[in-house]
């Protein structure tokens, strides 16, 4: 059954209920249908040498990864890997389990192929996720742990350090999420003092690469200062960028949560381009926000992205999107005379 047939049924459900149904289906797929993951892998995985890269000491089979937020509790890692991703990021999760914000908190903006969410780091907590990961790690794909603070915690630094200690042997890199708009005062942590202290302490705990996920609503000058300082303190890269709180993009009355999808394609693209001009070559750059085609992915790669993450586009276009992007990327590389994607990264900046 293709996604085009399933999508109308899913879209009859509230967005969060549809997501829970997809999660349940993926988790139970291999149990109910032995060999299903092998079938999916055969159908969706693109094995192309031109797309492979070695970054951060890790092998990426292609540059398309899953952004944090989709698999908050690391329950879908095996089935998601069969869909053809080059890397996966689980979370955002917190030290203690928490329910997140009040429902409804996830909304489809179908006409704009976008989402608006105010989830609030709902997750099962580090103990359950640790137990789950210990059964599958190390994994065939690079796994990123996207970590955040508990909503009611007044010790943000300790929350992040606790998760770094607990997961340093259960992931390949960390993403420090201080840019979600859905946890009160979280974006206030996007400051040099907090990040400096966090990174200094983090390097005493783990040698795993640490990436910082930033908000696209920051002023460019301030964002650059923050990133340059983070590099000096040991950060290995940046995810540019998280969801946006630019509610002028909306035609509804909801002025809360974060916007993702097509509505922020241009905004995040411009934000990425301006930061990449200064940061390219100094750190690993992952482009995120509004990527739903090979053309957009390739544009950001040529402007300095080593890797690209998607999420919202999956909701509207389905799992075949990953294969479609990777196959088209391979063709775009050949058209431009590149043997490997590494040659295309930052081509517009060289």
């Amino acid at each position: 059954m293709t996604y085009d047939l399933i999508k109308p049924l899913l879209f009859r459900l509230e967005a969060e209920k549809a997501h829970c149904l997809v999660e349940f289906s993926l988790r139970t797929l291999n149990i109910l249908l032995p060999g299903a993951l092998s079938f999916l892998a055969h159908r969706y995985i693109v094995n192309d040498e031109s797309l492979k890269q070695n970054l951060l000491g890790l092998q990426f089979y292609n540059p398309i990864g899953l952004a944090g937020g989709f698999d908050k509790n690391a329950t879908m890692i095996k089935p998601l890997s069969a869909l053809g991703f080059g890397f996966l990021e689980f979370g955002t999760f917190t030290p203690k389990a928490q329910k997140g914000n009040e429902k409804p908190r996830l909304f489809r903006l179908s006409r704009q192929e976008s989402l608006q969410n105010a989830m609030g780091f709902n997750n099962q907590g580090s103990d359950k996720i640790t137990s789950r990961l210990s059964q599958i790690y190390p994994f065939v794909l690079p796994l990123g742990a996207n970590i955040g603070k508990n909503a009611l915690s007044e010790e943000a630094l300790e929350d992040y350090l606790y998760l770094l200690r607990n997961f340093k042997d259960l992931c390949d890199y960390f993403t420090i999420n201080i840019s979600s708009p859905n946890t009160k005062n979280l974006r206030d942590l996007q400051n040099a003092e907090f990040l400096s202290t966090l990174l200094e302490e983090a390097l005493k705990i783990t040698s795993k690469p640490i990436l910082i996920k930033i908000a696209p609503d920051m002023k460019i000058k301030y964002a650059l200062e923050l990133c340059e300082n983070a590099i000096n303190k040991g950060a290995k890269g940046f995810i540019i960028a998280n969801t946006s709180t630019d509610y002028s993009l909306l035609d509804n009355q909801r002025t809360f949560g974060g916007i993702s999808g097509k509505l922020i394609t241009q905004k995040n693209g411009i934000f990425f381009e301006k930061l990449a001009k200064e940061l390219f070559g100094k750190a690993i750059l992952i482009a995120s926000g509004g990527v739903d085609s090979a053309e957009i992915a390739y544009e950001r790669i040529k402007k300095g992205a080593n890797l690209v993450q998607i999420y919202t586009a999956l909701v509207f276009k389905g799992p075949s999107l990953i294969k479609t992007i990777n196959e088209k990327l391979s063709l775009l590389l050949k058209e431009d005379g590149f043997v490997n994607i590494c040659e295309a990264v930052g081509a517009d900046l060289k």
Side-chain angles (χ1 to χ4, degrees):
M1 185 180 290
T2 67
Y3 189 70
D4 288 338
L5 295 175
I6 300 172
K7 181 178 173 181
L9 301 176
L10 288 175
F11 275 41
R12 290 181 184 176
L13 300 173
E14 289 182 357
E16 188 168 352
K17 288 182 178 178
H19 180 84
C20 291
L21 178 59
V22 169
E23 179 184 9
F24 175 79
S25 300
L26 286 174
R27 284 194 295 113
T28 58
L29 184 63
N30 203 43
I31 298 172
L32 298 177
L33 296 172
L37 297 190
S38 295
F39 172 79
L40 289 177
H42 180 75
R43 180 176 180 180
Y44 288 118
I45 291 177
V46 175
N47 187 11
D48 190 321
E49 289 295 324
S50 70
L51 299 178
K52 296 178 182 180
Q53 304 177 80
N54 191 287
L55 303 166
L56 302 171
L58 304 168
Q59 181 69 35
F60 292 83
Y61 294 101
N62 67 69
I64 307 303
L66 179 69
F70 189 91
D71 190 7
K72 294 179 181 293
N73 298 304
T75 61
M76 298 178 275
I77 288 175
K78 285 186 176 181
L80 286 170
S81 68
L83 298 182
F85 284 106
F87 63 108
L88 299 169
E89 200 166 291
F90 59 92
T92 301
F93 63 97
T94 53
K96 297 178 182 178
Q98 59 182 30
K99 293 181 179 180
N101 296 323
E102 293 296 317
K103 298 178 182 179
R105 55 194 180 182
L106 179 62
F107 307 90
R108 297 187 198 92
L109 310 173
S110 295
R111 185 170 57 82
Q112 298 99 341
E113 294 188 14
S114 299
L115 297 174
Q116 186 174 358
N117 94 82
M119 302 301 286
F121 291 170
N122 55 302
N123 73 100
Q124 295 173 351
S126 62
D127 286 349
K128 283 192 175 182
I129 298 171
T130 298
S131 176
R132 202 166 282 138
L133 283 165
S134 64
Q135 298 176 40
I136 65 169
Y137 188 83
F139 195 63
V140 66
L141 299 181
L143 296 181
N146 186 311
I147 61 176
K149 68 176 284 293
N150 277 115
L152 299 180
S153 173
E154 296 182 2
E155 301 294 337
L157 178 63
E158 288 307 313
D159 277 11
Y160 287 104
L161 296 180
Y162 175 87
L163 294 173
L164 287 164
R165 292 188 194 98
N166 279 24
F167 286 84
K168 61 185 176 65
D169 298 319
L170 294 171
C171 68
D172 296 299
Y173 71 88
F174 285 98
T175 293
I176 305 294
N177 190 346
I178 50 174
S179 54
S180 169
N182 301 320
T183 294
K184 187 178 179 180
N185 300 327
L186 186 75
R187 286 190 170 186
D188 293 345
L189 301 180
Q190 292 182 126
N191 68 77
E193 181 181 359
F194 178 79
L195 264 186
S196 294
T197 303
L198 173 56
L199 289 167
E200 286 171 1
E201 294 302 313
L203 293 180
K204 298 175 185 177
I205 295 170
T206 181
S207 60
K208 296 291 175 71
I210 297 175
L211 312 181
I212 312 296
K213 188 167 188 175
I214 63 175
D217 307 302
M218 299 172 69
K219 293 186 181 300
I220 296 297
K221 179 182 178 182
Y222 183 69
L224 282 172
E225 289 175 355
L226 188 76
C227 292
E228 293 281 5
N229 177 72
I231 292 170
N232 292 335
K233 295 297 182 178
K236 296 300 182 183
F238 304 93
I239 299 178
I240 308 170
N242 212 323
T243 58
S244 174
T245 55
D246 183 357
Y247 303 122
S248 68
L249 298 170
L250 301 174
D251 57 10
N252 62 45
Q253 302 302 310
R254 289 191 296 266
T255 54
F256 60 86
I259 306 162
S260 61
K262 273 187 179 295
L263 281 173
I264 64 168
T265 297
Q266 183 178 20
K267 179 184 181 71
N268 278 37
I270 293 171
F271 187 68
F272 177 86
E273 182 177 4
K274 290 181 177 179
L275 293 187
K277 284 180 180 178
E278 302 299 326
L279 300 176
F280 177 69
K282 300 178 182 178
I284 295 297
L285 304 180
I286 302 179
S288 182
V291 178
D292 68 352
S293 69
E295 288 77 11
I296 294 173
Y298 193 50
E299 177 184 297
R300 296 198 191 177
I301 287 167
K302 290 196 294 183
K303 289 179 178 177
N306 303 92
L307 301 165
V308 176
Q309 286 183 333
I310 63 174
Y311 176 172
T312 301
L314 287 175
V315 174
F316 293 96
K317 297 191 174 182
S320 63
L321 176 64
I322 307 136
K323 180 181 181 180
T324 300
I325 291 177
N326 280 321
E327 288 181 336
K328 186 63 184 293
L329 276 178
S330 180
L331 292 175
L332 290 170
L333 290 171
K334 290 182 175 68
E335 288 175 6
D336 284 346
F338 297 126
V339 175
N340 184 270
I341 194 167
C342 296
E343 301 168 44
V345 174
D348 290 350
L349 301 176
K350 298 173 183 177

